[in-house]
């Protein structure tokens, strides 16, 4: 089948180059067929990082390197809230209200991924 298809296109043409590229990587491209946990594409990841990619130019104007690092930290917390289906406003409000009373050894309890467990207790 591969040889038949290769005979139908010119090897140096754009479609010929695409065909050769695909056939040379066929084993890697079809790996997802053998493991049900693998996705055929990376659309979920692309959609998750799109907001960061779209705003990348804006982040250049954070004011300073330190400000950019603080903004990155805040974005990370909000992305974690989204991942764990936590309302960012409620989490941030709870965290700011309770951060002074929590033991420093338990500070991770205030992370977004632990917020739902903490609220149930």
């Amino acid at each position: 089948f591969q040889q038949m298809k290769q005979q139908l296109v010119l090897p140096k043409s754009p479609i010929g180059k695409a065909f050769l590229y695909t056939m040379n990587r066929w084993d890697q491209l079809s790996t997802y067929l053998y493991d049900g946990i693998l996705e055929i594409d990376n659309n979920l990841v692309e959609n998750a990082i799109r907001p960061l990619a779209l705003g990348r130019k804006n982040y250049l104007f954070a004011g300073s390197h330190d400000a950019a690092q603080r903004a990155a930290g805040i974005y990370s917390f909000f992305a974690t809230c989204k991942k764990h289906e936590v309302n960012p406003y409620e989490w941030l409000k709870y965290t700011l209200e309770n951060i002074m009373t929590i033991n420093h050894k338990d500070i991770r309890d205030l992370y977004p991924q632990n917020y739902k467990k903490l609220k149930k207790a």
Side-chain angles (χ1 to χ4, degrees), residues 32-44:
Y32 79 95
L33 296 170
Y34 304 105
D35 188 344
I37 201 165
L38 298 176
E39 297 285 337
I40 190 171
D41 57 36
N42 66 345
N43 286 342
L44 293 175

Side-chain angles (χ1 to χ4, degrees), residues 94-103 107 110:
Y94 180 86
T95 300
L96 293 175
E97 289 172 349
N98 292 284
I99 198 164
M100 294 301 290
T101 60
I102 196 163
N103 185 321
I107 197 74
L110 294 177

Side-chain angles (χ1 to χ4, degrees), residues 58-102:
N58 294 334
Y59 307 148
L60 293 174
F61 303 102
S64 69
H65 182 71
D66 289 338
Q69 286 187 319
R70 286 189 294 272
I74 291 169
Y75 278 114
S76 295
F77 277 123
F78 288 149
T80 304
C81 283
K82 184 177 181 179
K83 177 181 178 184
H84 294 282
E85 298 176 347
V86 169
N87 180 315
Y89 173 79
E90 290 176 10
W91 165 77
L92 187 57
K93 183 176 185 288
Y94 180 86
T95 300
L96 293 175
E97 289 172 349
N98 292 284
I99 198 164
M100 294 301 290
T101 60
I102 196 163

Side-chain angles (χ1 to χ4, degrees), residues 7-74:
Q7 291 172 356
L8 298 175
V9 297
L10 294 172
K12 300 285 184 183
S13 70
I15 193 71
K17 289 178 183 178
F19 184 78
L20 185 61
Y21 178 90
T22 302
M23 294 315 298
N24 286 339
R25 289 160 182 79
W26 190 253
D27 289 340
Q28 294 90 343
L29 291 170
S30 59
T31 300
Y32 79 95
L33 296 170
Y34 304 105
D35 188 344
I37 201 165
L38 298 176
E39 297 285 337
I40 190 171
D41 57 36
N42 66 345
N43 286 342
L44 293 175
V45 173
E46 293 285 339
N47 290 337
I49 65 171
R50 183 170 288 114
L52 294 174
L54 292 175
R56 190 173 291 134
K57 280 189 179 181
N58 294 334
Y59 307 148
L60 293 174
F61 303 102
S64 69
H65 182 71
D66 289 338
Q69 286 187 319
R70 286 189 294 272
I74 291 169

